[in-house]
Amino acid sequence: MREEKYDITGMHCAACSSAVERVTGKLNGVERSEVNLTTGIMTIRYDESLVSEAQIIAKVEKAGFGAALHPEKQEAPQPDAAEAEAAALHRKKGELIVSAIFSAALLYVSMGQMLPFGLPPLPIPELFSMHTHGVNFALLQFLLTLPVLYCGRNFFTGGFKALLHANPNMDSLVAIGSVCSFVYSVVMSFLIPEHPDFVHNLYYESAAVVLTLVSLGKFLESRNMQKTRGAITALMQLAPDTAILAETGQEVPTARLRIGDLLLVKPGARIPADGVVDRGESSVNEAMLTGESLPVEKAAGSEVIGGSVNQNGVLYVRVTRTGEDTTLARIIRFVEDAQGRKAPISRTADKVAGIFVPAVIAIALLAAVGWAIAGQPFAFVLKVFTSVLVIACPCALGLATPTAIMVGTGLGARHGILIRSGEILEITHSVDTVVLDKTGTVTEGAPVVTMVLPHQTDSHTLLRTAAAVEAIAAHPLADAITAYAAAQGVTDLPNPETFETLSGRGVKATLSGETVLAGNRRLMEEAGIDLSPLLADAQRLAARGETPMFFARNGTLLGLVSAADPVKATSAEAIARMKAMGIRTVLLTGDNRFAASHIGSLVGADETIAEVLPEEKAAVIGRLQSEGRTVMMVGDGINDAPALTQADVGCAIGGGSDIAIEAADIVLMRSDLNDVPRALHLSSLTLRHIRQNLFWAFCYNTAGIPIAAGLLYCFGGPLLSPMFAGAAMSLSSVCVVGNALRLGRAKL
């Protein structure tokens, strides 16, 4: 099976996207076809031995739309596309202004002569008076309507084209309603010389003002949708266009960089690509990529992320990733995927929209026929028919879900929370159990020295001996001891004359002719070292999950150095926030039960499961799911891959360029566990806005169609004018998009 993305053009409403899904889904070999109205992207999964790219494009084009393969590479921003979109929006604005001016003049001419409540008519030249020069009055309205029809020509070309392909859409409804009003008015205009009273049966203003109001709604939608796509645009603009090669000082396009190139990054400049600092020191602002507000200090050996900002020093960076492999490119791809895929809640709306437009046309025809049979004049029947078509346009329905998902995923990206799809965004809302890996998730992931207990010597001597031996050992505990010794100012380390690793026990070395042992209790007991002076302390430390290491010189105990993987400062706070949200927290680790229990009690986990192998973690997740729980697994994204896959939501937590972006459903760019409750809160907020949007979209159409069909008129109420129907339809779409944009200002 192959999965590809296509850019679809010519879509205007949920009925359009539903039509594309329907026709492509019927192709032999297509397993799944999803179209996102907001992004204009179709994601299709198919068997390439049964269906080809050309067949897919041909099928879409036959349905009345355009299709082209979506460009996957995002090595640099695409200014041409952004400029084209801006130009199209500018053109729409110009046409809207023209339509508004002529529609206002048309309303003045047509309605100004028939003001209610006994008000005097608005002044108009006698030559165009409806009472004395009916033909001129009609001709003036006809001429004022033509520019509006031209500015709204896309409604007719797109609407009737879709109708001919048996895929009627929003444009079809507007086009039919406007054309009916316009043609009827033209016919009445020709009959005015014989029937002067027909001057009251002109509906030019309905045809024009409906087009203007719907165009206003679509313009506001387009302008607001640019804001919803702001997350991807902002990310793409992070990558600089050029880079400076350190060896030559030459400025070259970023797209031409190769792995191994040495770059010069000046203060205030953006780092062109992922790399490692070769030399230099500076602080780097990674906020737009990781969400971390504080600058990160960088020195030789530090990894840097392309797109981050070098603040105050000169850095020489050796490129390690380019093009699509960079962290920034993967983040962009991640966010694009999220905004291009649908949440399950949207599929119901899509199914409704797919049958909505044909149903509306049927309702409009039935209402018109019903009123005609009831004896109403043709003008009344036309008004009902047009009003039903216009007010029922399913813009709001089609925009309800994708706009909220786009804004929600964009908001998450700005906070360093990357959510892979709308489906994951919805599932996350229902999570009731969060399983946390210990090492690197709840804890820092690297041991540090917590206690130094010398015996018959001083701390400096103990640390000097320990660091001299451990400086050669390749072990995290050894690194912790040497780092701690350096921090304490112990730098005068002797070089061992001999060094031997004792598997599972420790090391043996010779320092200044003296034999030094460093290791666990077993090593000391084998060598006959008396541990009784420090044994009680060692047992107490081990019970707390720490690792005590003994040191002896020439058969005499020197002391004990204990190390532990410290709990992150925010872990307890994050777990408390999750518990306050009603979520059960489980600490899952392969560490021993003493260490696990101690860490679990420190952070307040509801349950601790220890001594579990990586491949066994998935079974634990499965057991929780069998109990009816919706489980999120939070781990490092690599070692916990089976558990992340098994969980309903896999969440990788890590830092910057080291994170396994492809390994989880949600990626937290920072190593802050507080981002887990933030992600849960983001999901709840987004689902709340989606439900609000769908509620108002469904309620609007449910209430609006009967009123437009004349239900209130049956009981002595008013009859809805097509102009008011167009205004209401546009307002509903703008409200839905505005409500989604409101989500972008939420606090996580």
Side-chain angles (χ1 to χ4, degrees):
M1 285 290 178
R2 183 176 182 179
E3 184 169 293
E4 283 183 336
K5 293 181 180 179
Y6 289 80
D7 290 322
I8 307 298
T9 56
M11 297 190 300
H12 303 288
C13 65
C16 298
S17 59
S18 181
V20 176
E21 287 181 351
R22 185 172 63 253
V23 297
T24 53
K26 290 179 179 178
L27 285 169
N28 183 32
V30 172
E31 180 183 283
R32 175 176 60 87
S33 177
E34 288 185 353
V35 179
N36 188 297
L37 173 65
T38 311
T39 60
I41 293 175
M42 173 178 71
T43 303
I44 185 168
R45 183 175 174 81
Y46 63 94
D47 185 343
E48 52 191 326
S49 66
L50 298 176
V51 63
S52 66
E53 174 189 327
Q55 288 176 303
I56 293 172
I57 293 176
K59 198 69 173 179
V60 174
E61 291 177 346
K62 187 177 179 181
F65 306 94
L69 270 175
H70 178 68
E72 289 294 339
K73 291 189 176 181
Q74 300 289 352
E75 294 182 358
Q78 305 295 322
D80 293 342
E83 290 173 6
E85 187 177 10
L89 194 63
H90 183 72
R91 185 181 68 253
K92 285 182 181 178
K93 182 179 180 180
E95 292 178 343
L96 178 61
I97 292 173
V98 171
S99 295
I101 292 172
F102 279 92
S103 294
L106 183 58
L107 279 173
Y108 183 92
V109 172
S110 61
M111 307 302 291
Q113 302 295 294
M114 300 176 288
L115 293 180
F117 311 116
L119 295 174
L122 297 175
I124 191 173
E126 181 66 24
L127 181 64
F128 299 108
S129 171
M130 66 181 298
H131 304 293
T132 58
H133 296 81
V135 173
N136 292 349
F137 176 72
L139 180 61
L140 178 60
Q141 291 187 62
F142 173 81
L143 294 175
L144 289 173
T145 304
L146 290 180
V148 181
L149 295 180
Y150 176 77
C151 290
R153 60 193 179 279
N154 289 337
F155 288 104
F156 304 109
T157 56
F160 287 118
K161 183 179 179 181
L163 199 60
L164 289 173
H165 287 94
N167 294 308
N169 56 21
M170 185 200 84
D171 287 359
S172 303
L173 300 182
V174 176
I176 293 171
S178 294
V179 165
C180 287
S181 297
F182 181 74
V183 171
Y184 176 75
S185 299
V186 170
V187 172
M188 291 297 103
S189 298
F190 278 103
L191 297 177
I192 286 175
E194 298 178 15
H195 304 278
D197 58 320
F198 279 11
V199 75
H200 297 288
N201 292 341
L202 301 179
Y203 290 96
Y204 288 113
E205 78 283 353
S206 293
V209 175
V210 163
L211 284 176
T212 301
L213 290 172
V214 175
S215 296
L216 172 63
K218 295 189 75 169
F219 170 75
L220 293 175
E221 288 170 15
S222 299
R223 191 179 67 177
N224 288 339
M225 289 316 299
Q226 279 190 327
K227 296 179 183 179
T228 67
R229 289 190 286 270
I232 290 179
T233 303
L235 285 170
M236 293 182 69
Q237 290 174 346
L238 291 180
D241 295 328
T242 60
I244 300 174
L245 296 176
E247 288 89 348
T248 63
Q250 180 185 5
E251 193 168 308
V252 298
T254 305
R256 286 172 49 190
L257 292 178
R258 297 291 179 264
I259 294 173
D261 286 347
L262 184 64
L263 308 179
L264 168 63
V265 185
K266 298 178 180 179
R270 291 194 179 275
I271 296 171
D274 291 3
V276 176
V277 176
D278 190 75
R279 60 185 187 273
E281 294 183 359
S282 182
S283 55
V284 175
N285 187 343
E286 300 177 344
M288 277 298 292
L289 293 161
T290 66
E292 181 59 60
S293 57
L294 295 176
V296 181
E297 297 300 322
K298 302 291 184 181
S302 301
E303 292 192 359
V304 291
I305 309 173
S308 55
V309 181
N310 179 27
Q311 292 197 319
N312 50 25
V314 175
L315 291 177
Y316 290 85
V317 176
R318 186 75 63 182
V319 176
T320 57
R321 298 189 191 95
T322 60
E324 290 185 308
D325 295 329
T326 64
T327 300
L328 178 59
R330 287 185 291 167
I331 291 173
I332 292 171
R333 191 160 60 246
F334 204 109
V335 177
E336 279 189 327
D337 286 346
Q339 296 185 347
R341 295 184 182 182
K342 295 182 178 180
I345 196 172
S346 70
R347 297 192 180 110
T348 301
D350 287 345
K351 290 177 182 178
V352 172
I355 60 173
F356 190 76
V357 174
V360 166
I361 294 176
I363 292 172
L365 288 171
L366 288 173
V369 170
W371 284 113
I373 294 174
Q376 292 292 342
F378 185 75
F380 182 96
V381 173
L382 179 64
K383 183 181 289 188
V384 168
F385 180 71
T386 303
S387 296
V388 171
L389 291 178
V390 172
I391 201 169
C393 293
C395 286
L397 193 61
L399 294 170
T401 301
T403 51
I405 288 176
M406 289 188 72
V407 175
T409 52
L411 175 63
R414 292 200 302 273
H415 287 79
I417 301 170
L418 307 182
I419 300 175
R420 186 172 296 280
S421 68
E423 183 175 5
I424 292 300
L425 191 63
E426 182 172 341
I427 294 172
T428 302
H429 168 69
S430 60
V431 166
D432 55 23
T433 303
V434 174
V435 178
L436 304 163
D437 176 50
K438 182 178 76 69
T439 305
T441 301
V442 174
T443 66
E444 294 289 353
V448 297
V449 172
T450 58
M451 186 169 292
V452 177
L453 293 176
H455 177 64
Q456 296 181 349
T457 187
D458 56 77
S459 297
H460 183 277
T461 302
L462 173 59
L463 277 177
R464 184 171 180 269
T465 303
V469 174
E470 299 293 356
I472 301 177
H475 192 278
L477 292 174
D479 295 339
I481 291 173
T482 53
Y484 181 79
Q488 298 300 312
V490 181
T491 56
D492 54 333
L493 304 180
N495 293 319
E497 292 95 53
T498 63
F499 183 87
E500 180 183 0
T501 299
L502 305 174
S503 180
R505 292 166 292 169
V507 297
K508 179 180 180 181
T510 303
L511 289 177
S512 304
E514 297 180 315
T515 301
V516 176
L517 293 177
N520 55 24
R521 178 178 176 180
R522 177 185 168 190
L523 174 63
M524 297 298 153
E525 289 177 343
E526 287 178 354
I529 308 296
D530 181 16
L531 299 179
S532 58
L534 297 177
L535 193 56
D537 292 313
Q539 291 172 340
R540 175 174 53 83
L541 293 169
R544 283 177 15 190
E546 298 189 22
T547 303
M549 292 185 64
F550 297 97
F551 293 86
R553 183 176 55 197
N554 288 339
T556 302
L557 181 64
L558 275 181
L560 174 154
V561 177
S562 184
D565 184 5
V567 173
K568 291 178 182 176
T570 57
S571 292
E573 176 191 354
I575 289 175
R577 288 178 61 187
M578 284 185 265
K579 292 170 76 171
M581 298 168 73
I583 293 171
R584 179 175 179 79
T585 56
V586 178
L587 186 66
L588 184 64
T589 178
D591 209 344
N592 67 77
R593 64 181 183 276
F594 298 111
S597 298
H598 178 68
I599 298 297
S601 62
L602 281 180
V603 298
D606 293 308
E607 182 181 359
T608 300
I609 303 174
E611 300 177 358
V612 179
L613 296 175
E615 56 270 23
E616 295 173 343
K617 291 183 178 180
V620 174
I621 302 294
R623 176 175 60 79
L624 292 170
Q625 291 171 322
S626 67
E627 296 172 1
R629 296 185 174 275
T630 303
V631 182
M632 172 189 281
M633 172 67 193
V634 185
D636 62 12
I638 301 173
N639 297 331
D640 298 310
L644 289 169
T645 304
Q646 175 67 40
D648 298 285
V649 180
C651 184
I653 184 168
S657 59
D658 290 332
I659 197 162
I661 289 180
E662 306 299 333
D665 302 310
I666 297 178
V667 175
L668 308 179
M669 295 298 291
R670 300 182 293 189
S671 293
D672 185 355
L673 201 60
N674 268 315
D675 283 341
V676 174
R678 289 189 186 107
L680 295 167
H681 182 51
L682 172 63
S683 175
S684 297
L685 284 175
T686 306
L687 263 293
R688 184 189 309 166
H689 278 73
I690 289 175
R691 290 186 179 117
Q692 289 171 353
N693 287 352
L694 289 174
F695 173 80
W696 288 113
F698 278 116
C699 283
Y700 161 80
N701 286 312
T702 302
I705 292 175
I707 294 173
L711 180 64
L712 295 182
Y713 187 81
C714 293
F715 300 96
L719 183 66
L720 189 67
S721 164
M723 287 184 295
F724 289 109
M729 188 277 294
S730 298
L731 182 62
S732 71
S733 298
V734 172
C735 286
V736 163
V737 175
N739 186 51
L741 289 173
R742 189 169 59 88
L743 171 63
R745 299 192 296 270
K747 302 291 184 183
L748 297 183

